Amino acid sequence: MDRSDHSEAEPSRAFLFDEHPNHPGWMHWRFRDETRFNSFLGDVIVRQEGDLARVRMMPEHRHSNFGNNVHGGALLGFIDVALFAALRSFGSLSAGPAVTLDLNTHFIGAGRVGEPLEAQVEILRETRRLIFVRGLLVQMAMTVAEFSGTIRKPSAG
């Protein structure tokens, strides 16, 4: 793979955001470089429905803990990635070095391996530099976690 496609000078080339062939109406959000952290999550798909973005992944055995539930670190990693996928679907971010300033999470239930896990994300407020978000992590109509966070947009050129 030609790593020049992932240069920091052209961050928009580092991401793919296209229709998922197996999930009509859903976009596939991923890095071109599959050696980045996000690939650990597997397929991440997103769909905007009004003021809500729905972001999904399918937890696998590699995401589990000894209790055979989804590991808390995998849940936190997915929530963090889901914020960026959601903001991309809203058009608030395209690409670039945006960062999570804070991420507050309350675990409410256990996530199961082998069942789709969905982050439902909404924007509370957007300013020139910051985006404030909140959401729920759900699985099979059960709440797994609730979260809120702040994303700092990339600096202009």
Side-chain angles (χ1 to χ4, degrees), residues 6-22:
H6 314 294
S7 74
E8 291 182 27
E10 297 183 60
S12 63
R13 293 189 57 173
F15 294 89
L16 293 171
F17 188 72
D18 50 11
E19 191 161 341
H20 196 288
N22 301 324

Side-chain angles (χ1 to χ4, degrees), residues 32-33 38 112 122:
R32 286 182 189 273
D33 180 354
N38 295 29
R112 295 176 179 239
E122 66 178 319

Side-chain angles (χ1 to χ4, degrees), residues 71-96:
H71 190 283
L75 294 173
L76 288 169
F78 172 57
I79 291 169
D80 186 59
V81 168
L83 297 180
F84 289 86
L87 293 175
R88 173 63 176 96
S89 76
F90 287 128
S92 294
L93 293 177
S94 56

Side-chain angles (χ1 to χ4, degrees), residues 13-14 24 28 30 32 35-36 43 48 52 62 64 67 76 80 84 89 107 117 125 134-135 151:
R13 293 189 57 173
H28 198 191
R30 63 198 188 282
R32 286 182 189 273
T35 65
R36 300 280 185 180
D43 266 358
Q48 183 184 351
L52 187 73
R62 66 184 167 157
S64 68
L76 288 169
D80 186 59
F84 289 86
S89 76
F107 296 106
L117 190 60
R125 182 167 186 236
R134 72 174 172 195
I151 304 299

